[in-house]
Amino acid sequence: MKTVPSLLFTAKCRILFLLILGVGLFTSPLFAQKPTQAQLGYRSAKIIKKAGLEFKDLNKNGKLDAYEDWRLPVETRVQDLISKMSIEEKVGFMLISTTRLAGDFSFQQNAPRAEITSGFNEEDLKQETNMFSRKPLPFPLLTASGTTKGVKERHLRHFILRVNTSAKTMAEWANNLQALCEDTRLGIPAIVASNPRNHITVDASIGLSVGTTVFSRWPGELGLAAMNDLKMTRTFAEIAAKEWAAVGLRKGYMYMADLATEPRWQRIEGTFGENADLAAGMMREIVLGFQGTKLGAQSVALTTKHFPGGGPQVEGKDPHFEWGKDQHYPGKMFDYHLKPFQAAIDAGTSAIMPYYAKPIGTQYEELAFAYNKAIIKDLLRDKMGFKGIINSDTGPIEMMPWGVEKLSILERYQKAIECGVDLFSGSGDPSQLLEVVKKGMISEARINESISRLLKEKMELGLFENPYVDVAVAEKTVGNAEFQKQADLALRKSIVLLRNGAKLLPLAKKTKVYVESYYDNGRTAPATVIMPKTNNWDLEFVSTREAADVVVLWLTPNMGSLFNTKDGPIELQLSKNKIDIARVNETTYHKPTVLVINYSSPWVIDEIDNPNVKTVLATFGTSTEALLDVLSGKFNPSGKMPFSTPVSRSAVLDNQSDVPGYLKSKEYALFKFGDGLSY
């Protein structure tokens, strides 16, 4: 018997084999039944009719190609399309960058305010200076491409939408973008990603969260964890996915599987707390809620971040900045931080984002994780079994090349791809990556591996069949009353009663109560007296503390925007985070007081020295109505602390960055992980 010639294993013969296999499947008795017609959405593409079924002629050649045939296995379609793509199209496909709508001038200082519409922003946005180091970049960085040029000339198909606008505008723009993509040589659709849009948050910096939007408003991520309710977490994710998909957002740059073990790390607000088992459960429900058990036409594909866990930063400093590039494990708990990522992998997360930081004092080479082969290939892929997309964080090639600073831009691309990165975030200019391939620094076969993963995601999401959305449905879906009713319940479930020593709560009916919110955002007066327009609580709200029986003081400490931080010690005391402690102590001194603290970090509150403060609650992004429901007893508090709070500054300084608070010494915590009372 003759052996099969090696030629059979070339790319083209592999495609032929898969095509034969696909046809064989559909002609076998098992698949003899006529397949159900896929729902097609199209603008310029012609329709091909075959065997009583319809298909989109995406490449305009008048015949049905394998990648256009929705009956075939995804792998067959992917390999066929890869064989048709030019190297320029492949390289453009490996970039994901900010996209802007007409009237959107994000990232432009002193730009005029304009009406944001569903048209395209055709202006290239170039950055001359590293926004984190404030030093000149090696070459101007194209952070956002003009839309038409990006799609038709640079072959971009992955975009990050950061604008905060209406559901109607987003949906119309998404349809315009997909129509533009359809009108290209191969008709490959776009995929649009976003950072979180459904949470009440303190730091809504671009790149972290979009903040208050038209979407349903839920607690912050810490608040979701504080609910201690995995079923409700799944409900949140399913609702949010419906809203996102309705406007054409099919990829989430979220959620953070990082653990809040270093209390000074400024990104704790986006985590699910310090406990790896709780965070793992949260990640499982989040992934299954957004994606389903497998990607489909209603799914939002998630990018879980920041592998292998960004919590244990040295002194809590952030690796966007050179002074924060080191990550360490003094408590030898590296594996503990992997648990939530493993849960996300097991649930099927579509992509994973490595962190900027580089590990020090471990078995791993001291290179940023995007350049660390032992982390990405050996650990993430081989040991943990991840088969999806590796998506770099924004800018490790040009701005945060920790550990590989001496390599050229081309060499950094080469090293990152060799380590396993498939998709590079932050640049809309494919020229440097194209040069890497054309110089033979990376083989086209290796590029094809990444393209295969990226195309697979798009095809499984159904974008090749119908990337368009119904604008009217989007308007009815996003932020609708039924969704917000569920979110309102979550807002209440997220509130934690920590102390009720004076038995002030629940407030007795007809109690005269003075409610003050204190939040210094640098733009308006920090203190706001809350006088509800509708009194649903059978309380008497008064405008001065002197007239009150009980004072409620709701503090929102604020470190300021992450991206405006400077090198130096990170402090957690209230007075260091825009809280006027003298005012707090004076306000609470004369009256029985309910102290409410919004925890976006594990604040140190030992500066509040007042015998009247015996009643303490924690919030993590919630509404005034939800808080008043808890204070009045309309809702019995049930939340639990998602992390421990240090008892003092010295406890912070002595802590081990990789060790969760509940495993630290008994002297560490004022409020412990899991604390929470009910009436």
Side-chain angles (χ1 to χ4, degrees):
M1 181 180 292
K2 293 182 179 180
T3 57
V4 178
S6 60
L7 183 62
L8 278 176
F9 295 96
T10 65
K12 289 185 178 179
C13 289
R14 185 183 182 204
I15 294 166
L16 178 61
F17 173 75
L18 290 168
L19 283 169
I20 293 169
L21 176 61
V23 173
L25 285 173
F26 286 110
T27 56
S28 69
L30 184 61
F31 289 90
Q33 186 175 356
K34 183 178 178 179
T36 302
Q37 172 66 49
Q39 180 184 359
L40 303 182
Y42 52 94
R43 296 295 187 268
S44 59
K46 303 296 183 183
I47 295 298
I48 295 173
K49 294 186 178 181
K50 187 170 184 178
L53 298 170
E54 294 186 342
F55 307 86
K56 291 159 65 175
D57 185 12
L58 292 170
N59 64 355
K60 300 92 179 164
N61 66 353
K63 65 179 183 179
L64 181 61
D65 293 276
Y67 85 93
E68 299 164 338
D69 190 342
W70 45 261
R71 299 170 299 177
L72 296 177
V74 167
E75 176 69 10
T76 306
R77 301 177 68 191
V78 165
Q79 294 305 321
D80 178 57
L81 182 49
I82 287 176
S83 73
K84 292 174 167 58
M85 293 175 73
S86 68
I87 190 60
E88 289 79 9
E89 288 165 331
K90 292 175 183 177
V91 167
F93 208 66
M94 291 180 69
L95 302 181
I96 180 168
S97 56
T98 296
T99 188
R100 301 185 300 163
L101 281 63
D104 175 16
F105 298 106
S106 299
F107 300 102
Q108 289 178 256
Q109 291 185 348
N110 304 317
R113 286 191 172 272
E115 181 185 0
I116 294 173
T117 70
S118 57
F120 298 142
N121 187 324
E122 301 291 18
E123 181 182 357
D124 282 351
L125 182 60
K126 293 186 178 181
Q127 187 175 319
E128 305 277 349
T129 303
N130 185 327
M131 62 183 291
F132 303 109
S133 70
R134 279 72 169 179
K135 297 176 181 177
L137 287 163
F139 62 90
L141 177 61
L142 183 67
T143 55
S145 172
T147 307
T148 301
K149 185 183 292 184
V151 168
K152 294 208 164 186
E153 297 179 23
R154 294 170 176 141
H155 310 291
L156 306 178
R157 292 296 186 278
H158 295 81
F159 299 98
I160 309 169
L161 186 67
R162 305 190 189 276
V163 72
N164 189 350
T165 187
S166 70
K168 181 176 185 288
T169 298
M170 280 186 279
E172 289 176 344
W173 170 83
N175 285 344
N176 291 338
L177 176 66
Q178 297 296 0
L180 178 68
C181 294
E182 188 178 323
D183 187 32
T184 56
R185 189 177 76 89
L186 295 171
I188 300 173
I191 189 168
V192 183
S194 173
N195 290 109
R197 288 178 177 263
N198 290 83
H199 305 288
I200 298 174
T201 179
V202 174
D203 191 359
S205 299
I206 288 178
L208 303 185
S209 173
V210 184
T212 302
T213 67
V214 294
F215 292 74
S216 56
R217 296 172 69 244
W218 296 72
E221 290 91 328
L222 287 170
L224 291 181
M227 294 190 309
N228 200 35
D229 186 337
L230 294 179
K231 184 178 179 182
M232 191 72 182
T233 300
R234 175 78 72 92
T235 297
F236 152 72
E238 290 173 346
I239 285 174
K242 290 175 183 176
E243 293 181 294
W244 283 51
V247 298
L249 292 173
R250 301 300 302 280
K251 192 176 185 69
Y253 257 20
M254 55 197 189
Y255 275 86
M256 289 170 56
D258 313 86
L259 297 176
T261 53
E262 168 51 70
R264 291 168 290 187
W265 187 46
Q266 200 167 335
R267 301 200 65 179
I268 284 176
E269 187 181 21
T271 74
F272 295 120
E274 70 179 34
N275 183 281
D277 294 321
L278 173 60
M282 295 292 291
M283 287 305 305
R284 181 181 62 252
E285 300 306 321
I286 290 285
V287 172
L288 291 173
F290 272 94
Q291 295 190 174
T293 54
K294 61 180 181 179
L295 291 182
Q298 305 303 316
S299 301
V300 173
L302 293 192
T303 301
T304 299
K305 53 188 189 178
H306 306 83
F307 192 78
Q313 291 301 119
V314 174
E315 298 179 346
K317 296 180 180 181
D318 194 275
H320 282 90
F321 306 96
E322 187 171 9
W323 61 73
K325 61 188 176 183
D326 291 337
Q327 187 165 310
H328 65 160
Y329 299 86
K332 309 300 180 186
M333 295 193 71
F334 181 93
D335 289 347
Y336 182 81
H337 289 258
L338 300 179
K339 285 184 177 182
F341 290 95
Q342 188 65 64
I345 292 168
D346 293 344
T349 188
S350 188
I352 287 181
M353 180 181 290
Y355 206 26
Y356 295 118
K358 63 182 178 67
I360 61 172
T362 71
Q363 62 178 307
Y364 299 103
E365 195 172 1
E366 294 189 2
L367 300 175
F369 293 119
Y371 298 101
N372 207 311
K373 193 171 185 178
I375 291 290
I376 292 179
K377 183 184 181 300
D378 300 346
L379 176 60
L380 180 56
R381 289 218 185 274
D382 296 347
K383 184 176 180 180
M384 298 178 71
F386 180 63
K387 301 185 184 306
I389 297 162
I390 304 293
N391 187 153
S392 86
D393 213 329
T394 298
I397 299 294
E398 303 86 1
M399 293 189 290
M400 285 79 77
W402 311 138
V404 297
E405 292 91 338
K406 294 182 179 180
L407 296 183
S408 69
I409 295 294
L410 301 190
E411 289 169 332
R412 292 174 194 171
Y413 269 120
Q414 178 188 34
K415 186 169 184 64
I417 292 171
E418 286 176 344
C419 290
V421 174
D422 300 306
L423 186 62
F424 291 92
S425 181
S427 173
D429 179 7
S431 60
Q432 300 283 327
L433 181 52
L434 182 61
E435 190 175 349
V436 172
V437 181
K438 287 190 171 181
K439 284 186 173 181
M441 298 170 70
I442 289 291
S443 70
E444 190 168 354
R446 169 62 190 88
I447 295 296
N448 288 348
E449 288 180 25
S450 292
I451 302 303
S452 176
R453 295 186 185 105
L454 296 168
L455 283 174
K456 181 174 182 284
E457 179 184 65
K458 275 192 174 68
M459 287 191 176
E460 289 180 339
L461 287 169
L463 290 171
F464 276 81
E465 280 60 70
N466 185 17
Y468 298 99
V469 297
D470 185 320
V471 176
V473 170
E475 290 185 279
K476 292 177 182 177
T477 301
V478 173
N480 71 57
E482 187 56 39
F483 289 171
Q484 191 55 52
K485 183 179 178 181
Q486 293 293 316
D488 288 344
L489 175 59
L491 292 171
R492 286 151 177 78
K493 290 174 70 70
S494 71
I495 297 171
V496 181
L497 176 61
L498 292 168
R499 288 180 183 166
N500 197 15
K503 302 298 181 184
L504 292 178
L505 301 180
L507 294 171
K509 293 181 179 181
K510 309 302 180 183
T511 297
K512 293 179 180 178
V513 57
Y514 171 80
V515 184
E516 179 179 301
S517 171
Y518 191 96
Y519 172 44
D520 186 354
N521 60 12
R523 297 187 297 273
T524 58
T528 301
V529 179
I530 297 174
M531 298 285 289
K533 293 180 180 179
T534 303
N535 191 342
N536 297 319
W537 299 278
D538 204 10
L539 300 171
E540 184 179 344
F541 294 94
V542 296
S543 59
T544 66
R545 61 179 184 263
E546 290 78 13
D549 300 321
V550 174
V551 168
V552 175
L553 185 57
W554 190 5
L555 304 179
T556 300
N558 177 17
M559 279 188 181
S561 171
L562 168 67
F563 299 132
N564 291 331
T565 56
K566 297 178 181 179
D567 192 13
I570 298 171
E571 305 288 0
L572 293 175
Q573 301 100 289
L574 296 181
S575 63
K576 302 291 186 180
N577 291 280
K578 302 185 179 181
I579 297 295
D580 184 343
I581 285 296
R583 178 188 175 89
V584 170
N585 284 326
E586 200 278 329
T587 299
T588 61
Y589 186 77
H590 300 285
K591 297 283 183 175
T593 299
V594 176
L595 180 67
V596 186
I597 302 172
N598 192 74
Y599 282 96
S600 51
S601 290
W603 308 117
V604 173
I605 67 169
D606 61 354
E607 294 166 304
I608 299 178
D609 183 20
N610 195 321
N612 283 321
V613 182
K614 297 178 181 179
T615 308
V616 182
L617 294 94
T619 62
F620 304 92
T622 193
S623 66
T624 299
E625 292 75 17
L627 178 61
L628 291 174
D629 273 4
V630 169
L631 295 178
S632 66
K634 285 186 69 174
F635 189 89
N636 196 347
S638 58
K640 305 296 180 184
M641 285 296 283
F643 53 52
S644 304
T645 66
V647 69
S648 65
R649 182 173 184 270
S650 61
V652 173
L653 297 176
D654 292 341
N655 101 95
Q656 292 180 306
S657 296
D658 58 327
V659 178
Y662 74 93
L663 291 179
K664 289 170 181 170
S665 69
K666 293 181 180 179
E667 294 75 28
Y668 173 77
L670 175 65
F671 302 124
K672 300 179 180 62
F673 168 79
D675 278 359
L677 305 172
S678 296
Y679 299 142

